[in-house]
Amino acid sequence: MTYPVPAGPVDRELEINKSRFIAWLRPVRSRAEGQAVLEEARARYPDASHHCHAWLIGAPNSGQGAMNDDGEPSGTAGKPIFNVIQHKGIGDVMVVVIRYFGGVKLGAGGLVRAYAGAAEAVLSAMDVIEQVPESTVTLRLGFAQEQPLRHWCEQHEGQLDDVDYGETVRVRLTLPEARLPELDAFCAAQGMDRD
């Protein structure tokens, strides 16, 4: 099953009642990538009042998500950002909204509208591509079987990530999940073992 993901990063900036909101959208495929994006935002804007964020990793309807208000009143920043991400039906995405306080208090409703509006602005500007779910598998095989496996991978969207030569050959490869039954059939016919 494929699902929509951002094609690349997008930045947008809004001013609401003298507060400056800088919205970053970044494609992320793991929690570690999301954490790196957040650290980059904090490093780039170290004097900002808040670095609120939300992310959704995996398919939009079944992925893992998280949100953070970063000092704003509970539920006024991370949740509105996350709600917009969910509404857009996109996966593998992180939105960070950096706020420079402008001296005018927005109130809870105003904060919700501001953070949702910043998320909407950046998500509406993104280009979308389709993400194909992938799996990584490890195989053990004989030396003579390596070339047939390489050829199979070329024909079936597989990518060899690592090859380790010992008494046998150990191969780690990544391929679309939909191709796993074909790989299993190929391995059975060739006498390869899957770890």
Side-chain angles (χ1 to χ4, degrees):
M1 177 180 100
T2 64
Y3 57 92
V5 298
V10 181
D11 298 347
R12 289 292 179 267
E13 188 170 330
L14 305 163
E15 186 174 312
I16 301 169
N17 287 348
K18 299 186 180 179
S19 280
R20 181 176 164 209
F21 292 86
I22 303 163
W24 278 17
L25 176 148
R26 299 292 185 266
V28 295
R29 306 252 335 251
S30 69
R31 184 181 182 107
E33 285 182 25
Q35 204 56 41
V37 169
L38 184 58
E39 288 171 17
E40 180 186 349
R42 287 183 172 146
R44 172 120 27 108
Y45 302 101
D47 55 340
S49 309
H50 306 280
H51 300 85
C52 305
H53 67 276
W55 51 260
L56 181 62
I57 297 169
N61 56 354
S62 62
Q64 297 178 354
M67 62 199 89
N68 188 291
D69 295 317
D70 192 38
E72 292 284 26
S74 181
T76 62
K79 181 85 171 137
I81 296 168
F82 189 74
N83 288 344
V84 176
I85 291 171
Q86 285 186 308
H87 178 73
K88 293 291 183 181
I90 191 111
D92 294 342
V93 62
M94 178 166 190
V95 174
V96 180
V97 179
I98 299 113
R99 179 185 182 200
Y100 283 90
F101 181 62
V104 176
K105 293 194 176 201
L106 301 178
L111 286 171
V112 168
R113 286 187 296 279
Y115 281 103
E120 177 66 34
V122 76
L123 284 158
S124 293
M126 77 179 156
D127 290 326
V128 174
I129 58 174
E130 289 295 312
Q131 173 64 39
V132 177
E134 295 179 328
S135 286
T136 300
V137 297
T138 303
L139 304 174
R140 283 179 286 120
L141 50 131
F143 292 98
Q145 296 167 312
E146 181 183 354
Q147 193 55 42
L149 177 63
R150 287 182 182 275
H151 180 71
W152 186 92
C153 286
E154 289 172 10
Q155 304 299 313
H156 296 86
E157 306 173 85
Q159 176 181 325
L160 293 180
D161 300 322
D162 186 48
V163 180
D164 182 37
Y165 299 99
E167 287 185 30
T168 62
V169 180
R170 190 176 192 133
V171 176
R172 192 178 77 239
L173 63 96
T174 302
L175 73 162
E177 283 182 7
R179 297 284 191 173
L180 284 173
E182 294 170 74
L183 177 65
D184 288 339
F186 176 77
C187 289
Q190 296 289 320
M192 298 177 191
D193 294 321
R194 196 168 143 183
D195 285 348

